[in-house]
Amino acid sequence: MNVVGIIPARYDSVRLPGKPLMLIKGKTMIQRVYEQSRKSKLLDRVIVATDDRRILAAVENFGGECMMTSRNHSSGTDRICEVARKISCDIVVNIQGDEPFIHPGNIDKAVAPVIEDKRLNVSTLAVKMNPGKDSADPNKVKVVFDLEGNALYFSRSIIPFSFNENRMTGLYKHIGLYVYRKKFLFAFSRMSKSKLELSEKLEQLRILDNGERIRVIVTKRDSVSVDTIEDLNLLNSDIRI
């Protein structure tokens, strides 16, 4: 199996314009994501997919591989599809460009089931979360899954609901890394947006709505995303980096 990691990176982020080129302890965010991804044991290649020549120049400057894509894509999935059509591979990993310290072991955990099970077309990650204000945050997507680890639903609301808040258990936060079998990725991109997807603003619900399994791999390592300038400042103030 030839496995390629693709990192979609656009300059015009709504909440934090220029995010991929913002510095975290002297390195751009996109460089940190790229370097972490290259440490994966199961990725044969890592490519940044961008619509901005400033990002292209930055990636090439630190020795990374980058491909230009259309500016008209409405999602990261569409952007990685454009790159995937140009290259030879069996499995495509969509790596979020705003998680600068993604653990390479998490990537390998997500990729392994798709390599091992030829009937499986999609996998992703989740981490157990504690009840509290984070669990009520709509930006922290929650997921529930069956006994075989297949996703039942993703939501911005708290799922599963508990009548006794003091006994709330089984909360899992979704980590937005996706592993696709290449043929399915193209099929997914052609599917019409579903009602649940539009309601929750969660693209992965389109997959469930069309009757496809998403295997959820539980990890103990969380992945911190940068969505605001406060998130960025917090990372820059972390003495452990």
Side-chain angles (χ1 to χ4, degrees), residues 93-136:
V93 185
N94 184 346
I95 301 169
Q96 301 301 313
D98 59 3
E99 296 184 3
F101 298 103
I102 183 168
H103 197 285
N106 274 358
I107 298 174
D108 292 340
K109 272 179 172 286
V111 170
V114 181
I115 292 176
E116 294 164 4
D117 184 351
K118 293 182 179 180
R119 299 169 300 172
L120 184 64
N121 286 319
V122 193
S123 67
T124 191
L125 294 166
V127 63
K128 197 161 188 176
M129 66 188 308
N130 296 319
K133 67 175 183 178
D134 276 357
S135 59

mmCIF file of all heavy atoms in Angstrom, residues 93-136:
data_model
loop_
_atom_site.group_PDB
_atom_site.id
_atom_site.type_symbol
_atom_site.label_atom_id
_atom_site.label_comp_id
_atom_site.label_asym_id
_atom_site.label_seq_id
_atom_site.Cartn_x
_atom_site.Cartn_y
_atom_site.Cartn_z
ATOM 1 N N VAL A 93 -4.303 10.396 3.394
ATOM 2 C CA VAL A 93 -4.541 10.859 4.765
ATOM 3 C C VAL A 93 -4.708 12.378 4.740
ATOM 4 O O VAL A 93 -3.814 13.101 4.309
ATOM 5 C CB VAL A 93 -3.379 10.475 5.708
ATOM 6 C CG1 VAL A 93 -3.724 10.854 7.148
ATOM 7 C CG2 VAL A 93 -3.074 8.982 5.602
ATOM 8 N N ASN A 94 -5.860 12.831 5.183
ATOM 9 C CA ASN A 94 -6.143 14.269 5.284
ATOM 10 C C ASN A 94 -5.663 14.743 6.653
ATOM 11 O O ASN A 94 -6.271 14.430 7.676
ATOM 12 C CB ASN A 94 -7.643 14.518 5.119
ATOM 13 C CG ASN A 94 -8.001 15.996 5.105
ATOM 14 O OD1 ASN A 94 -7.190 16.845 5.463
ATOM 15 N ND2 ASN A 94 -9.223 16.313 4.723
ATOM 16 N N ILE A 95 -4.561 15.490 6.657
ATOM 17 C CA ILE A 95 -3.944 15.960 7.902
ATOM 18 C C ILE A 95 -4.258 17.441 8.067
ATOM 19 O O ILE A 95 -3.953 18.246 7.187
ATOM 20 C CB ILE A 95 -2.425 15.738 7.874
ATOM 21 C CG1 ILE A 95 -2.118 14.244 7.673
ATOM 22 C CG2 ILE A 95 -1.777 16.256 9.162
ATOM 23 C CD1 ILE A 95 -0.664 13.952 7.367
ATOM 24 N N GLN A 96 -4.868 17.805 9.181
ATOM 25 C CA GLN A 96 -5.267 19.189 9.399
ATOM 26 C C GLN A 96 -4.042 20.108 9.485
ATOM 27 O O GLN A 96 -3.089 19.829 10.207
ATOM 28 C CB GLN A 96 -6.084 19.318 10.685
ATOM 29 C CG GLN A 96 -7.351 18.474 10.696
ATOM 30 C CD GLN A 96 -8.296 18.820 9.565
ATOM 31 O OE1 GLN A 96 -8.578 19.991 9.318
ATOM 32 N NE2 GLN A 96 -8.792 17.808 8.871
ATOM 33 N N GLY A 97 -4.112 21.226 8.765
ATOM 34 C CA GLY A 97 -2.987 22.143 8.719
ATOM 35 C C GLY A 97 -2.877 23.074 9.904
ATOM 36 O O GLY A 97 -1.945 23.889 9.974
ATOM 37 N N ASP A 98 -3.812 22.966 10.861
ATOM 38 C CA ASP A 98 -3.755 23.845 12.034
ATOM 39 C C ASP A 98 -3.526 23.077 13.326
ATOM 40 O O ASP A 98 -3.867 23.544 14.405
ATOM 41 C CB ASP A 98 -5.033 24.689 12.128
ATOM 42 C CG ASP A 98 -6.292 23.848 12.226
ATOM 43 O OD1 ASP A 98 -6.195 22.597 12.270
ATOM 44 O OD2 ASP A 98 -7.394 24.435 12.262
ATOM 45 N N GLU A 99 -2.947 21.863 13.211
ATOM 46 C CA GLU A 99 -2.596 21.079 14.401
ATOM 47 C C GLU A 99 -1.080 20.878 14.393
ATOM 48 O O GLU A 99 -0.574 19.824 13.986
ATOM 49 C CB GLU A 99 -3.353 19.750 14.414
ATOM 50 C CG GLU A 99 -4.868 19.956 14.522
ATOM 51 C CD GLU A 99 -5.639 18.666 14.639
ATOM 52 O OE1 GLU A 99 -5.012 17.585 14.688
ATOM 53 O OE2 GLU A 99 -6.872 18.731 14.680
ATOM 54 N N PRO A 100 -0.341 21.898 14.833
ATOM 55 C CA PRO A 100 1.120 21.912 14.666
ATOM 56 C C PRO A 100 1.875 20.836 15.433
ATOM 57 O O PRO A 100 3.035 20.566 15.116
ATOM 58 C CB PRO A 100 1.513 23.309 15.159
ATOM 59 C CG PRO A 100 0.407 23.725 16.073
ATOM 60 C CD PRO A 100 -0.831 23.126 15.495
ATOM 61 N N PHE A 101 1.243 20.230 16.424
ATOM 62 C CA PHE A 101 1.950 19.220 17.211
ATOM 63 C C PHE A 101 1.247 17.870 17.147
ATOM 64 O O PHE A 101 1.292 17.093 18.102
ATOM 65 C CB PHE A 101 2.118 19.703 18.656
ATOM 66 C CG PHE A 101 2.951 20.952 18.742
ATOM 67 C CD1 PHE A 101 2.363 22.185 18.952
ATOM 68 C CD2 PHE A 101 4.325 20.905 18.558
ATOM 69 C CE1 PHE A 101 3.120 23.343 18.999
ATOM 70 C CE2 PHE A 101 5.101 22.061 18.608
ATOM 71 C CZ PHE A 101 4.491 23.286 18.822
ATOM 72 N N ILE A 102 0.618 17.593 16.004
ATOM 73 C CA ILE A 102 -0.002 16.284 15.835
ATOM 74 C C ILE A 102 1.051 15.195 16.040
ATOM 75 O O ILE A 102 2.178 15.298 15.542
ATOM 76 C CB ILE A 102 -0.666 16.167 14.452
ATOM 77 C CG1 ILE A 102 -1.371 14.816 14.338
ATOM 78 C CG2 ILE A 102 0.327 16.374 13.316
ATOM 79 C CD1 ILE A 102 -2.296 14.701 13.161
ATOM 80 N N HIS A 103 0.695 14.169 16.786
ATOM 81 C CA HIS A 103 1.658 13.115 17.087
ATOM 82 C C HIS A 103 1.718 12.130 15.919
ATOM 83 O O HIS A 103 0.684 11.643 15.459
ATOM 84 C CB HIS A 103 1.266 12.388 18.366
ATOM 85 C CG HIS A 103 2.374 11.594 18.971
ATOM 86 N ND1 HIS A 103 2.801 10.396 18.440
ATOM 87 C CD2 HIS A 103 3.174 11.833 20.048
ATOM 88 C CE1 HIS A 103 3.791 9.918 19.161
ATOM 89 N NE2 HIS A 103 4.042 10.776 20.145
ATOM 90 N N PRO A 104 2.911 11.836 15.408
ATOM 91 C CA PRO A 104 3.013 10.885 14.286
ATOM 92 C C PRO A 104 2.431 9.520 14.604
ATOM 93 O O PRO A 104 1.940 8.819 13.713
ATOM 94 C CB PRO A 104 4.516 10.817 14.014
ATOM 95 C CG PRO A 104 5.168 11.386 15.227
ATOM 96 C CD PRO A 104 4.218 12.375 15.801
ATOM 97 N N GLY A 105 2.461 9.144 15.880
ATOM 98 C CA GLY A 105 1.861 7.872 16.280
ATOM 99 C C GLY A 105 0.357 7.858 16.066
ATOM 100 O O GLY A 105 -0.238 6.804 15.783
ATOM 101 N N ASN A 106 -0.283 9.021 16.211
ATOM 102 C CA ASN A 106 -1.712 9.116 15.937
ATOM 103 C C ASN A 106 -2.008 8.858 14.465
ATOM 104 O O ASN A 106 -3.006 8.211 14.113
ATOM 105 C CB ASN A 106 -2.243 10.500 16.326
ATOM 106 C CG ASN A 106 -2.631 10.595 17.785
ATOM 107 O OD1 ASN A 106 -2.547 9.608 18.520
ATOM 108 N ND2 ASN A 106 -3.032 11.766 18.221
ATOM 109 N N ILE A 107 -1.157 9.397 13.598
ATOM 110 C CA ILE A 107 -1.337 9.156 12.159
ATOM 111 C C ILE A 107 -1.255 7.666 11.871
ATOM 112 O O ILE A 107 -2.102 7.097 11.177
ATOM 113 C CB ILE A 107 -0.276 9.930 11.353
ATOM 114 C CG1 ILE A 107 -0.422 11.437 11.579
ATOM 115 C CG2 ILE A 107 -0.381 9.599 9.862
ATOM 116 C CD1 ILE A 107 0.677 12.278 10.943
ATOM 117 N N ASP A 108 -0.255 7.006 12.439
ATOM 118 C CA ASP A 108 -0.078 5.573 12.204
ATOM 119 C C ASP A 108 -1.249 4.762 12.752
ATOM 120 O O ASP A 108 -1.676 3.774 12.136
ATOM 121 C CB ASP A 108 1.230 5.098 12.826
ATOM 122 C CG ASP A 108 2.453 5.676 12.114
ATOM 123 O OD1 ASP A 108 2.308 6.105 10.958
ATOM 124 O OD2 ASP A 108 3.546 5.713 12.722
ATOM 125 N N LYS A 109 -1.767 5.155 13.920
ATOM 126 C CA LYS A 109 -2.919 4.465 14.500
ATOM 127 C C LYS A 109 -4.122 4.511 13.562
ATOM 128 O O LYS A 109 -4.871 3.537 13.435
ATOM 129 C CB LYS A 109 -3.311 5.109 15.837
ATOM 130 C CG LYS A 109 -2.613 4.571 17.061
ATOM 131 C CD LYS A 109 -3.089 5.319 18.300
ATOM 132 C CE LYS A 109 -2.553 4.677 19.575
ATOM 133 N NZ LYS A 109 -3.232 3.415 19.884
ATOM 134 N N ALA A 110 -4.319 5.656 12.920
ATOM 135 C CA ALA A 110 -5.469 5.820 12.037
ATOM 136 C C ALA A 110 -5.284 5.096 10.707
ATOM 137 O O ALA A 110 -6.236 4.587 10.126
ATOM 138 C CB ALA A 110 -5.732 7.303 11.795
ATOM 139 N N VAL A 111 -4.052 5.056 10.221
ATOM 140 C CA VAL A 111 -3.776 4.441 8.919
ATOM 141 C C VAL A 111 -3.836 2.917 8.976
ATOM 142 O O VAL A 111 -4.349 2.252 8.054
ATOM 143 C CB VAL A 111 -2.391 4.890 8.399
ATOM 144 C CG1 VAL A 111 -1.971 4.074 7.169
ATOM 145 C CG2 VAL A 111 -2.409 6.380 8.056
ATOM 146 N N ALA A 112 -3.340 2.333 10.049
ATOM 147 C CA ALA A 112 -3.185 0.872 10.145
ATOM 148 C C ALA A 112 -4.458 0.088 9.826
ATOM 149 O O ALA A 112 -4.401 -0.890 9.061
ATOM 150 C CB ALA A 112 -2.649 0.502 11.526
ATOM 151 N N PRO A 113 -5.639 0.449 10.367
ATOM 152 C CA PRO A 113 -6.841 -0.338 10.076
ATOM 153 C C PRO A 113 -7.225 -0.363 8.601
ATOM 154 O O PRO A 113 -7.739 -1.369 8.113
ATOM 155 C CB PRO A 113 -7.928 0.364 10.906
ATOM 156 C CG PRO A 113 -7.201 1.102 11.966
ATOM 157 C CD PRO A 113 -5.920 1.530 11.336
ATOM 158 N N VAL A 114 -6.970 0.738 7.884
ATOM 159 C CA VAL A 114 -7.318 0.782 6.462
ATOM 160 C C VAL A 114 -6.367 -0.097 5.652
ATOM 161 O O VAL A 114 -6.755 -0.704 4.653
ATOM 162 C CB VAL A 114 -7.317 2.235 5.941
ATOM 163 C CG1 VAL A 114 -7.703 2.293 4.469
ATOM 164 C CG2 VAL A 114 -8.282 3.091 6.754
ATOM 165 N N ILE A 115 -5.119 -0.187 6.090
ATOM 166 C CA ILE A 115 -4.177 -1.102 5.441
ATOM 167 C C ILE A 115 -4.583 -2.550 5.697
ATOM 168 O O ILE A 115 -4.558 -3.390 4.792
ATOM 169 C CB ILE A 115 -2.739 -0.842 5.947
ATOM 170 C CG1 ILE A 115 -2.238 0.527 5.474
ATOM 171 C CG2 ILE A 115 -1.788 -1.940 5.464
ATOM 172 C CD1 ILE A 115 -0.863 0.900 6.007
ATOM 173 N N GLU A 116 -4.976 -2.829 6.940
ATOM 174 C CA GLU A 116 -5.249 -4.214 7.351
ATOM 175 C C GLU A 116 -6.590 -4.739 6.855
ATOM 176 O O GLU A 116 -6.725 -5.928 6.561
ATOM 177 C CB GLU A 116 -5.187 -4.306 8.878
ATOM 178 C CG GLU A 116 -3.791 -4.040 9.439
ATOM 179 C CD GLU A 116 -3.799 -3.742 10.926
ATOM 180 O OE1 GLU A 116 -4.896 -3.813 11.542
ATOM 181 O OE2 GLU A 116 -2.734 -3.427 11.482
ATOM 182 N N ASP A 117 -7.609 -3.896 6.761
ATOM 183 C CA ASP A 117 -8.959 -4.322 6.392
ATOM 184 C C ASP A 117 -9.314 -3.740 5.023
ATOM 185 O O ASP A 117 -9.633 -2.566 4.901
ATOM 186 C CB ASP A 117 -9.964 -3.845 7.449
ATOM 187 C CG ASP A 117 -11.381 -4.336 7.192
ATOM 188 O OD1 ASP A 117 -11.633 -4.911 6.111
ATOM 189 O OD2 ASP A 117 -12.242 -4.128 8.063
ATOM 190 N N LYS A 118 -9.293 -4.559 3.998
ATOM 191 C CA LYS A 118 -9.539 -4.082 2.639
ATOM 192 C C LYS A 118 -10.982 -3.626 2.419
ATOM 193 O O LYS A 118 -11.274 -2.950 1.431
ATOM 194 C CB LYS A 118 -9.177 -5.173 1.629
ATOM 195 C CG LYS A 118 -7.684 -5.471 1.595
ATOM 196 C CD LYS A 118 -7.347 -6.513 0.545
ATOM 197 C CE LYS A 118 -5.847 -6.787 0.506
ATOM 198 N NZ LYS A 118 -5.496 -7.810 -0.509
ATOM 199 N N ARG A 119 -11.871 -3.992 3.333
ATOM 200 C CA ARG A 119 -13.278 -3.569 3.210
ATOM 201 C C ARG A 119 -13.517 -2.196 3.833
ATOM 202 O O ARG A 119 -14.576 -1.601 3.647
ATOM 203 C CB ARG A 119 -14.195 -4.587 3.880
ATOM 204 C CG ARG A 119 -14.133 -5.987 3.277
ATOM 205 C CD ARG A 119 -14.843 -6.973 4.155
ATOM 206 N NE ARG A 119 -14.224 -7.028 5.481
ATOM 207 C CZ ARG A 119 -14.735 -7.699 6.508
ATOM 208 N NH1 ARG A 119 -15.867 -8.366 6.386
ATOM 209 N NH2 ARG A 119 -14.104 -7.693 7.681
ATOM 210 N N LEU A 120 -12.535 -1.700 4.573
ATOM 211 C CA LEU A 120 -12.679 -0.428 5.272
ATOM 212 C C LEU A 120 -12.187 0.714 4.382
ATOM 213 O O LEU A 120 -11.078 0.676 3.865
ATOM 214 C CB LEU A 120 -11.875 -0.457 6.580
ATOM 215 C CG LEU A 120 -11.988 0.769 7.495
ATOM 216 C CD1 LEU A 120 -13.406 0.930 8.008
ATOM 217 C CD2 LEU A 120 -11.016 0.638 8.672
ATOM 218 N N ASN A 121 -13.034 1.736 4.221
ATOM 219 C CA ASN A 121 -12.707 2.850 3.337
ATOM 220 C C ASN A 121 -12.317 4.135 4.059
ATOM 221 O O ASN A 121 -11.691 5.014 3.459
ATOM 222 C CB ASN A 121 -13.891 3.154 2.417
ATOM 223 C CG ASN A 121 -14.050 2.116 1.333
ATOM 224 O OD1 ASN A 121 -13.079 1.659 0.751
ATOM 225 N ND2 ASN A 121 -15.289 1.720 1.055
ATOM 226 N N VAL A 122 -12.703 4.253 5.339
ATOM 227 C CA VAL A 122 -12.457 5.500 6.070
ATOM 228 C C VAL A 122 -12.129 5.204 7.531
ATOM 229 O O VAL A 122 -12.771 4.349 8.153
ATOM 230 C CB VAL A 122 -13.688 6.443 6.052
ATOM 231 C CG1 VAL A 122 -13.291 7.846 6.527
ATOM 232 C CG2 VAL A 122 -14.340 6.501 4.694
ATOM 233 N N SER A 123 -11.178 5.928 8.077
ATOM 234 C CA SER A 123 -10.931 5.861 9.519
ATOM 235 C C SER A 123 -10.596 7.250 10.033
ATOM 236 O O SER A 123 -10.212 8.145 9.276
ATOM 237 C CB SER A 123 -9.798 4.878 9.846
ATOM 238 O OG SER A 123 -8.570 5.362 9.340
ATOM 239 N N THR A 124 -10.737 7.429 11.347
ATOM 240 C CA THR A 124 -10.441 8.708 11.986
ATOM 241 C C THR A 124 -10.052 8.453 13.433
ATOM 242 O O THR A 124 -9.912 7.294 13.847
ATOM 243 C CB THR A 124 -11.642 9.669 11.860
ATOM 244 O OG1 THR A 124 -11.246 10.981 12.264
ATOM 245 C CG2 THR A 124 -12.823 9.211 12.706
ATOM 246 N N LEU A 125 -9.890 9.514 14.215
ATOM 247 C CA LEU A 125 -9.404 9.398 15.587
ATOM 248 C C LEU A 125 -10.342 10.052 16.591
ATOM 249 O O LEU A 125 -11.092 10.966 16.244
ATOM 250 C CB LEU A 125 -8.027 10.068 15.713
ATOM 251 C CG LEU A 125 -6.865 9.451 14.956
ATOM 252 C CD1 LEU A 125 -5.697 10.434 14.921
ATOM 253 C CD2 LEU A 125 -6.418 8.140 15.604
ATOM 254 N N ALA A 126 -10.258 9.589 17.831
ATOM 255 C CA ALA A 126 -10.979 10.220 18.935
ATOM 256 C C ALA A 126 -10.177 10.058 20.210
ATOM 257 O O ALA A 126 -9.359 9.142 20.336
ATOM 258 C CB ALA A 126 -12.367 9.593 19.111
ATOM 259 N N VAL A 127 -10.399 10.978 21.150
ATOM 260 C CA VAL A 127 -9.729 10.916 22.439
ATOM 261 C C VAL A 127 -10.779 11.133 23.530
ATOM 262 O O VAL A 127 -11.716 11.904 23.347
ATOM 263 C CB VAL A 127 -8.608 11.979 22.534
ATOM 264 C CG1 VAL A 127 -9.164 13.395 22.442
ATOM 265 C CG2 VAL A 127 -7.777 11.807 23.795
ATOM 266 N N LYS A 128 -10.625 10.424 24.636
ATOM 267 C CA LYS A 128 -11.597 10.556 25.728
ATOM 268 C C LYS A 128 -11.499 11.953 26.319
ATOM 269 O O LYS A 128 -10.398 12.497 26.479
ATOM 270 C CB LYS A 128 -11.331 9.502 26.795
ATOM 271 C CG LYS A 128 -12.511 9.303 27.741
ATOM 272 C CD LYS A 128 -12.418 7.979 28.479
ATOM 273 C CE LYS A 128 -13.699 7.717 29.258
ATOM 274 N NZ LYS A 128 -13.687 6.385 29.914
ATOM 275 N N MET A 129 -12.649 12.537 26.620
ATOM 276 C CA MET A 129 -12.644 13.880 27.204
ATOM 277 C C MET A 129 -13.412 13.883 28.516
ATOM 278 O O MET A 129 -14.340 13.093 28.722
ATOM 279 C CB MET A 129 -13.231 14.904 26.228
ATOM 280 C CG MET A 129 -14.688 14.759 25.897
ATOM 281 S SD MET A 129 -15.251 15.877 24.556
ATOM 282 C CE MET A 129 -14.679 17.478 25.102
ATOM 283 N N ASN A 130 -12.998 14.780 29.399
ATOM 284 C CA ASN A 130 -13.651 14.899 30.695
ATOM 285 C C ASN A 130 -14.860 15.823 30.599
ATOM 286 O O ASN A 130 -14.841 16.801 29.853
ATOM 287 C CB ASN A 130 -12.678 15.450 31.737
ATOM 288 C CG ASN A 130 -11.524 14.501 31.990
ATOM 289 O OD1 ASN A 130 -11.711 13.291 32.063
ATOM 290 N ND2 ASN A 130 -10.312 15.036 32.104
ATOM 291 N N PRO A 131 -15.913 15.515 31.360
ATOM 292 C CA PRO A 131 -17.066 16.422 31.387
ATOM 293 C C PRO A 131 -16.638 17.790 31.891
ATOM 294 O O PRO A 131 -15.767 17.910 32.746
ATOM 295 C CB PRO A 131 -18.024 15.750 32.365
ATOM 296 C CG PRO A 131 -17.600 14.323 32.424
ATOM 297 C CD PRO A 131 -16.117 14.327 32.210
ATOM 298 N N GLY A 132 -17.224 18.830 31.360
ATOM 299 C CA GLY A 132 -16.874 20.187 31.764
ATOM 300 C C GLY A 132 -17.191 21.152 30.659
ATOM 301 O O GLY A 132 -17.917 20.833 29.711
ATOM 302 N N LYS A 133 -16.609 22.343 30.730
ATOM 303 C CA LYS A 133 -16.944 23.368 29.751
ATOM 304 C C LYS A 133 -16.493 22.991 28.346
ATOM 305 O O LYS A 133 -17.126 23.364 27.362
ATOM 306 C CB LYS A 133 -16.346 24.718 30.156
ATOM 307 C CG LYS A 133 -14.820 24.791 30.120
ATOM 308 C CD LYS A 133 -14.348 26.204 30.430
ATOM 309 C CE LYS A 133 -12.825 26.325 30.319
ATOM 310 N NZ LYS A 133 -12.363 27.702 30.584
ATOM 311 N N ASP A 134 -15.386 22.222 28.236
ATOM 312 C CA ASP A 134 -14.934 21.796 26.918
ATOM 313 C C ASP A 134 -15.949 20.904 26.233
ATOM 314 O O ASP A 134 -16.117 20.957 25.014
ATOM 315 C CB ASP A 134 -13.597 21.061 27.017
ATOM 316 C CG ASP A 134 -12.418 22.020 27.050
ATOM 317 O OD1 ASP A 134 -12.654 23.239 26.934
ATOM 318 O OD2 ASP A 134 -11.279 21.556 27.188
ATOM 319 N N SER A 135 -16.627 20.066 27.016
ATOM 320 C CA SER A 135 -17.598 19.156 26.419
ATOM 321 C C SER A 135 -18.802 19.901 25.846
ATOM 322 O O SER A 135 -19.472 19.407 24.944
ATOM 323 C CB SER A 135 -18.062 18.123 27.452
ATOM 324 O OG SER A 135 -18.643 18.750 28.579
ATOM 325 N N ALA A 136 -19.073 21.097 26.363
ATOM 326 C CA ALA A 136 -20.192 21.897 25.856
ATOM 327 C C ALA A 136 -19.774 22.822 24.713
ATOM 328 O O ALA A 136 -20.629 23.446 24.079
ATOM 329 C CB ALA A 136 -20.792 22.724 26.988
#
